């Protein structure tokens, strides 16, 4: 199984930063606020939280456990833990890796947009855009394949360089620096946003409005499709069922308390999602912008805002640095499962493994850019929906079944020695029943 030289996280802190870095990403700051806004605000939040804690958390802990126990990541981790049907369960592992690979290919495109905006904000061009020019700017940028390809490739190269550096020497080091900075900027911006709103009572806003928007359930806007979205968003945001947590788990030392580590990552991710909303919505309301503005919210509405507020020229780069860091620690974690798989299953060395998988994802990304602008159909919005709302939840069901029904309970208990019996029983119950039944129902109703 694991080779003697296998890399591992050098500290608990390092692992938490890397895993929280995987979870906290564009999903929290870009995707969560607008999906929450479109699907009933507080109503969405309630269902989202239920999905996170009842489905996401057990699957995440299960994946860490699978990786750690097997001592390898990728498809082999599943087969290593069982005697029968090894091949079949290996395919479940592969499905996750495939989903992770596909997400990498378009995640780095949107991450590239953050680089474009970061660059422009450093050049002082973002904080001078008004409503019309920021819309025009975004549209022109979207229509320019060379510019999108440039940033997509640039961002991918940064990701590949870090992943090539290894787990403790690359991923952990970078996450341990970027994540604290990210959290610091985020809290700062949230405080600024709330303050800004408080000082703009005249605009008829008030903190109450955005808190109300996020926390007050508007069930009439919450549909069967919203349920589907909440589940997909929870899975996407927690980075489950794409091979990431299995790979990250495989680098965990045997004495680490997986249940606690998993819970910390889940809570951090959820808090950042909410904080992301609290950064964006007060600002949106203070300026009477549309909270349901969709994917363009942070690229179209916010630049317009930065031009109007005091300190906008400083806040704009800070905001896009935040996004860039969030995207980077996530894209690293998206590429890692493929790399771990190539290393563990196909005996690649790390650098060639990273180059091969990174280059393949980058080329696929270029294909998305070219084809979506050819058709003007928002091709990758559909791909994103297909993967995050269908492929990933399906894989989550299979992982839950693997943990709840297939794996030996005594082995599982041994892997969670410091966990109370009650927590353990709840964990098994959620994997065995709640996750498969609920997720299947949501999928069937949502399709
Ligand atoms: N969770 C990340 C985000 O919210 C995206 C991601 C998905 C990262 C799956 C790794 C694996 O942006």
């Amino acid at each position: 199984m694991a080779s003697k030289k296998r890399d591992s996280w050098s500290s608990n802190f390092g692992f938490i930063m890397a895993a929280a870095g995987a979870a906290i990403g564009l999903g929290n700051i870009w995707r969560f606020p607008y999906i929450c806004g479109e699907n009933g605000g507080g109503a969405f939040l309630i269902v989202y939280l239920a999905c996170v804690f009842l489905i996401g958390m057990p699957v995440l802990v299960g994946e860490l456990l699978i990786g750690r126990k097997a001592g390898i990541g990728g498809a082999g981790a599943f087969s290593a833990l069982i005697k029968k049907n090894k091949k079949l369960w290996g395919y479940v592992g592969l499905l996750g890796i495939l989903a992770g690979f596909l997400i990498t290919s378009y995640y780095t495109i949107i991450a590239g947009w953050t680089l474009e905006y970061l660059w422009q904000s450093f050049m002082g061009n973002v904080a001078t855009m008004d409503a019309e020019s920021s819309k025009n700017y975004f549209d022109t940028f979207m229509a320019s394949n060379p510019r999108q390809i440039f940033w997509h490739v640039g961002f991918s190269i940064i990701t590949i360089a870090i992943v090539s550096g290894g787990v403790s020497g690359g991923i952990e080091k970078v996450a341990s620096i970027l994540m604290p900075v990210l959290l610091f900027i985020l809290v700062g911006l949230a405080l600024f946003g709330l303050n800004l709103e408080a000082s703009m009572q005249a605009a008829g806003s008030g903190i109450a409005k955005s808190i109300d928007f996020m926390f007050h359930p508007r069930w009439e806007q919450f549909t069967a499709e919203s349920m589907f979205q909440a589940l997909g968003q929870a899975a996407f945001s927690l980075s489950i069922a794409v091979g990431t947590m299995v790979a990250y788990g495989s680098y965990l030392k045997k004495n680490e308390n997986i249940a606690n580590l998993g819970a910390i990552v889940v809570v951090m991710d959820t808090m950042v999602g909410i904080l992301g909303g609290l950064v964006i919505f007060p600002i949106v309301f203070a300026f009477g912008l549309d909270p349901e503005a969709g994917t363009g919210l942070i690229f179209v509405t916010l630049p317009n805002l930065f031009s109007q507020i005091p300190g906008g020229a400083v806040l704009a780069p800070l905001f896009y640095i935040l996004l860039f860091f969030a995207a980077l620690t996530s894209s690293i974690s998206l590429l890692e499962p493929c790399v771990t798989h190539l290393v563990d299953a196909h005996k690649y060395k790390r650098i060639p493994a990273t180059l091969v998988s990174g280059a393949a994802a980058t080329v696929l990304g270029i294909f998305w850019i070219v084809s979506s602008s050819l058709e003007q159909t928002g091709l990758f919005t559909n791909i994103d929906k297909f993967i995050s709302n269908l492929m990933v939840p399906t894989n989550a069901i299979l992982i839950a079944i693997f943990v709840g029904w297939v794996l030996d309970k005594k082995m599982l208990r041994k892997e969670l020695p410091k966990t109370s019996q009650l927590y353990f029983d709840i964990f098994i119950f959620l994997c065995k029943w709640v996750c498969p039944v609920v997720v299947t129902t949501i999928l069937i109703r949502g399709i």
Side-chain angles (χ1 to χ4, degrees):
M1 256 193 246
S3 77
K4 274 188 214 126
K5 284 191 307 224
R6 192 178 173 79
D7 207 349
S8 67
W9 306 107
S10 60
S11 69
N12 249 341
F13 175 79
F15 167 77
I16 292 173
M17 289 302 112
I24 296 167
L26 295 172
N28 303 63
I29 299 156
W30 166 68
R31 211 165 178 268
F32 180 79
Y34 82 78
I35 293 193
C36 180
E38 285 170 353
N39 292 284
F44 181 86
L45 193 60
I46 293 172
V47 178
Y48 174 78
L49 289 178
C51 290
V52 163
F53 287 99
L54 301 180
I55 294 161
M57 188 147 111
V59 173
L60 191 148
V61 171
E63 288 193 271
L64 290 178
L65 197 152
I66 292 169
R68 207 248 319 249
K69 175 69 190 164
I72 50 175
F78 289 75
S79 348
L81 301 182
I82 45 172
K83 297 208 176 69
K84 279 189 287 176
N85 299 327
K86 279 176 179 281
K87 235 192 167 145
L88 189 73
W89 287 104
Y91 285 125
V92 173
L94 273 185
L95 181 66
I97 292 171
L98 179 65
F101 173 78
L102 291 173
I103 297 177
T104 316
S105 70
Y106 65 85
Y107 198 84
T108 42
I109 299 177
I110 301 159
W113 302 354
T114 69
L115 277 182
E116 158 80 16
Y117 275 76
L118 179 58
W119 171 248
Q120 294 299 342
S121 61
F122 268 129
M123 302 304 288
N125 296 337
V126 171
T128 52
M129 292 180 189
D130 61 18
E132 210 185 307
S133 60
S134 69
K135 171 98 181 63
N136 286 343
Y137 189 84
F138 186 69
D139 290 344
T140 318
F141 176 54
M142 287 295 102
S144 164
N145 288 347
R147 274 165 72 197
Q148 287 208 66
I149 291 173
F150 175 78
W151 291 117
H152 159 66
V153 172
F155 187 90
S156 302
I157 291 174
I158 302 174
T159 305
I160 292 169
I162 296 170
V163 175
S164 303
V167 172
S168 52
I171 301 178
E172 180 176 349
K173 266 209 184 112
V174 169
S176 301
I177 299 169
L178 298 195
M179 288 311 287
V181 178
L182 178 149
L183 294 174
F184 185 75
I185 299 180
L186 189 67
V187 172
L189 287 178
L191 291 177
F192 178 86
L194 293 173
N195 225 337
L196 171 79
E197 217 196 26
S199 64
M200 296 209 33
Q201 295 294 345
S205 49
I207 299 166
K209 199 163 171 184
S210 48
I211 303 249
D212 180 73
F213 180 76
M214 270 197 81
F215 297 106
H216 178 80
R218 282 166 285 117
W219 291 107
E220 65 288 355
Q221 276 182 29
F222 192 87
T223 58
E225 161 76 13
S226 309
M227 190 83 203
F228 202 46
Q229 296 260 24
L231 175 69
Q233 174 62 19
F236 182 84
S237 189
L238 292 176
S239 306
I240 58 168
V242 294
T244 293
M245 292 301 166
V246 177
Y248 276 25
S250 76
Y251 300 109
L252 268 173
K253 297 198 180 102
K254 291 289 171 202
N255 56 350
E256 305 292 5
N257 184 339
I258 294 180
N260 278 1
L261 291 177
I264 293 174
V265 171
V266 169
V267 169
M268 280 178 75
D269 182 61
T270 308
M271 280 170 49
V272 170
I274 294 175
L275 215 55
L278 288 179
V279 168
I280 308 265
F281 290 131
I283 299 177
V284 164
F285 283 119
F287 284 85
L289 305 170
D290 179 9
E292 300 181 17
T295 43
L297 186 63
I298 59 172
F299 295 105
V300 179
T301 31
L302 288 186
N304 168 27
L305 164 93
F306 290 129
S307 67
Q308 299 183 38
I309 51 177
V314 178
L315 288 172
L318 271 183
F319 179 77
Y320 292 107
I321 286 179
L322 167 82
L323 270 185
F324 169 54
F325 285 1
L328 188 58
T329 48
S330 291
S331 68
I332 292 169
S333 77
L334 278 161
L335 190 58
E336 182 57 33
C338 239
V339 174
T340 301
H341 177 75
L342 289 179
V343 171
D344 287 339
H346 300 286
K347 306 292 166 240
Y348 273 63
K349 293 236 163 51
R350 172 163 279 268
I351 293 181
T354 315
L355 288 178
V356 168
S357 31
T362 310
V363 170
L364 184 59
I366 293 175
F367 170 76
W368 298 140
I369 295 174
V370 177
S371 51
S372 70
S373 83
L374 276 180
E375 297 171 11
Q376 295 296 330
T377 53
L379 176 68
F380 74 26
T381 311
N382 293 328
I383 295 175
D384 176 35
K385 278 200 175 146
F386 172 76
I387 298 169
S388 344
N389 294 354
L390 203 67
M391 201 163 159
V392 170
T394 305
N395 201 34
I397 299 176
L398 296 170
I399 294 168
I401 293 177
F402 186 66
V403 175
W405 295 91
V406 179
L407 286 180
D408 177 38
K409 297 293 157 309
K410 281 203 196 99
M411 178 278 276
L412 289 175
R413 189 70 187 104
K414 266 202 201 139
E415 284 295 306
L416 298 167
K418 294 183 195 133
T419 308
S420 74
Q421 189 59 36
L422 179 67
Y423 183 105
F424 182 75
D425 291 341
I426 295 177
F427 168 62
I428 297 295
F429 177 76
L430 292 174
C431 287
K432 206 168 184 168
W433 297 106
V434 177
C435 185
V437 173
V438 174
V439 179
T440 309
T441 317
I442 297 176
L443 285 188
I444 292 173
R445 290 195 55 192
I447 292 170

